[in-house]
Amino acid sequence: MGSPRWRRLCLLLLAGLTSSLILYGHYYATVEAPTSQRLLPPRRPASPHPGGRPLAALGASPSSRGEPPALRTPALGFGPSACLHSVTARAKADPKFGQLFRFDIPVLMWDQHFSPETWDRLKARHVPYGWQGLSHAAIGSTLRLLNTSSNRRLFDRDNFPGGCVRCAVVGNGGILNGSRQGKEIDAHDLVFRLNGAVIKGFEEDVGTKISFYGFTVNTMKNSLIAYEEYGFTQIPQAKDLRYIFVPSDMRDYVMLKSAIQGSPVPEGSDKGDEPQKYFGPEASAKKFKLLHPDFLHYLTSRFLRSEIINTQYGYLYMPSTGALMLLTALHTCDQVSAYGFITDNYEQFSDHYYELEKKPLLFYANHDMMLEAELWKSLHRAGIMKLYQR
């Protein structure tokens, strides 16, 4: 046992065993690494459809892996809700949706979220789920302007003391034509509208109240062109109106910065454009909200993870603007009602409520409207929200 030859043999055996353990550990760490840590594929070519955007790697399943740590800044206001039958309470009590909803995910992004840790994490994801390929300086200079208390929460709960904050989200679906839902919509505390939200001439069906207008720069500009003949010639403007930017591209960050500064867009496809004509001459930082890329990633991976992702059109896919506004309301308001959203009998109605002649609902590769329809129906059945149906 004590001979030099035997000692050398033992040392060789020990070295071999150590090497084997190291190699096995390296192999295991490689094949079992969480999907969220894998490198993303190169950016794909631009979409042939104007609404298309590249898709981020969303992970193998809608689990909590890859989601950001909870941030302590609420999107809604300070303090818990006093509403007994809130979306939060109903969702947590539901066996299915209790596993999907996470109310600690930040809904809005603002100045204090722009940290080195956030940059390092989001620069690995494509827009709208991150900042891959975008300029650090450009993103930082935009977010630093979102430095007021109103930028970090969707609304001030102090304005609704002691009760449930009731929100209506109004889509543009043809189901609203002849619905006579205007008074009911306006009776809500807050009303969300989006894209080509025509009001004049349809007040009895869709109401007149508007608290939030949600859009991407792409959908906003396309709506002004596509729906001009129906009377949508101006983005809604009002003193108490707030604008919700969906950051689907660099142009959204650039437009937002110029809107706050009150100056022409300095670069990109909107160069020379004047934001004041969209948002009014008195627009300041407090009028703007910016959805957090982490929130968009969470919504897509958990609620609207479409099979389109696995097809040749996967790089185009993202939830519709209407879906993002409705899910934003569901994560901030106490009670939510949805009007003008797709239902099972959508074929009975025109694409939009303001069309004089019936037009079929168009399905594009960048959205999964049938998946959205199933989600709204499920949330309605669970009592988490109310879906207007006819």
Side-chain angles (χ1 to χ4, degrees):
M1 290 291 293
S3 69
R5 182 177 179 182
W6 178 253
R7 283 198 297 271
R8 284 197 298 272
L9 180 59
C10 289
L11 288 173
L12 286 172
L13 289 172
L14 181 61
L17 177 61
T18 302
S19 299
S20 298
L21 289 172
I22 292 173
L23 288 171
Y24 176 78
H26 175 73
Y27 169 78
Y28 183 83
T30 300
V31 298
E32 293 295 328
T35 306
S36 60
Q37 295 180 4
R38 296 174 187 162
L39 293 179
L40 297 172
R43 189 182 182 112
R44 304 234 187 180
S47 162
H49 180 264
R53 290 293 180 269
L55 176 74
L58 292 173
S61 63
S63 68
S64 60
R65 292 190 303 175
E67 290 175 0
L71 300 182
R72 295 184 179 180
T73 303
L76 180 135
F78 298 107
S81 168
C83 185
L84 295 178
H85 303 290
S86 65
V87 169
T88 304
R90 291 179 182 273
K92 288 181 177 179
D94 186 85
K96 173 186 175 182
F97 289 108
Q99 300 297 316
L100 293 180
F101 274 90
R102 278 192 62 186
F103 293 99
D104 58 348
I105 297 289
V107 175
L108 302 178
M109 172 162 275
W110 66 303
D111 178 27
Q112 291 189 15
H113 287 167
F114 191 65
S115 64
E117 294 78 15
T118 301
W119 170 260
D120 287 341
R121 180 165 49 79
L122 294 184
K123 71 179 182 180
R125 294 194 207 137
H126 291 303
V127 288
Y129 312 106
W131 297 328
Q132 190 177 80
L134 304 186
S135 162
H136 180 280
I139 296 295
S141 63
T142 298
L143 294 182
R144 279 191 285 273
L145 297 174
L146 297 174
N147 54 18
T148 72
S149 60
S150 63
N151 298 133
R152 57 178 167 169
R153 58 182 184 267
L154 202 64
F155 55 86
D156 191 344
R157 182 167 286 282
D158 291 341
N159 294 331
F160 309 93
C164 298
V165 180
R166 300 174 61 245
C167 297
V169 185
V170 185
N172 301 319
I175 192 173
L176 285 177
N177 190 299
S179 66
R180 299 179 179 272
Q181 295 298 301
K183 288 184 179 180
E184 182 176 310
I185 290 171
D186 287 347
H188 289 77
D189 297 308
L190 299 167
V191 178
F192 295 68
R193 300 183 193 267
L194 55 121
N195 295 340
V198 178
I199 292 178
K200 188 176 181 180
F202 298 92
E203 295 88 346
E204 191 174 64
D205 291 336
V206 303
T208 61
K209 188 173 184 177
I210 177 168
S211 311
F212 301 103
Y213 177 76
F215 61 97
T216 70
V217 172
N218 185 59
T219 62
M220 177 186 74
K221 290 196 167 187
N222 284 349
S223 295
L224 286 169
I225 296 171
Y227 310 125
E228 180 182 11
E229 62 178 299
Y230 304 112
F232 190 70
T233 59
Q234 174 70 56
I235 301 302
Q237 295 181 12
K239 179 182 178 182
D240 296 326
L241 172 60
R242 300 294 181 257
Y243 299 100
I244 302 177
F245 271 77
V246 179
S248 69
D249 203 332
M250 187 64 221
R251 67 190 298 202
D252 295 291
Y253 292 97
V254 174
M255 177 68 77
L256 175 56
K257 178 181 178 181
S258 294
I260 296 173
Q261 293 178 330
S263 59
V265 177
E267 59 182 322
S269 57
D270 303 301
K271 184 176 181 179
D273 204 357
E274 297 182 354
Q276 295 93 328
K277 69 183 181 184
Y278 305 117
F279 313 115
E282 304 300 324
S284 60
K286 68 180 183 179
K287 288 188 75 71
F288 299 103
K289 318 288 183 179
L290 178 67
L291 293 187
H292 201 302
D294 280 332
F295 183 60
L296 301 178
H297 182 271
Y298 151 76
L299 295 182
T300 305
S301 63
R302 286 195 170 219
F303 294 92
L304 291 169
R305 186 181 177 82
S306 172
E307 292 181 0
I308 294 175
I309 292 171
N310 301 318
T311 72
Q312 60 179 321
Y313 303 109
Y315 69 99
L316 302 177
Y317 176 74
M318 69 177 285
S320 69
T321 308
L324 295 176
M325 289 302 104
L326 183 46
L327 286 164
T328 295
L330 285 166
H331 283 77
T332 51
C333 303
D334 292 321
Q335 296 175 358
V336 177
S337 299
Y339 302 84
F341 282 78
I342 186 171
T343 55
D344 285 342
N345 59 340
Y346 69 90
E347 292 181 334
Q348 297 180 19
F349 311 105
S350 190
D351 193 354
H352 303 98
Y353 62 80
Y354 37 78
E355 288 158 344
L356 301 179
E357 297 181 4
K358 183 179 177 181
K359 296 184 178 181
L361 176 62
L362 298 177
F363 294 90
Y364 294 105
N366 58 315
H367 300 317
D368 191 336
M369 301 306 294
M370 299 313 297
L371 178 62
E372 293 182 10
E374 286 299 316
L375 177 60
W376 313 144
K377 185 166 62 175
S378 296
L379 287 165
H380 175 81
R381 286 177 174 173
I384 296 172
M385 75 170 207
K386 175 186 174 183
L387 175 66
Y388 173 70
Q389 303 176 75
R390 289 170 70 180

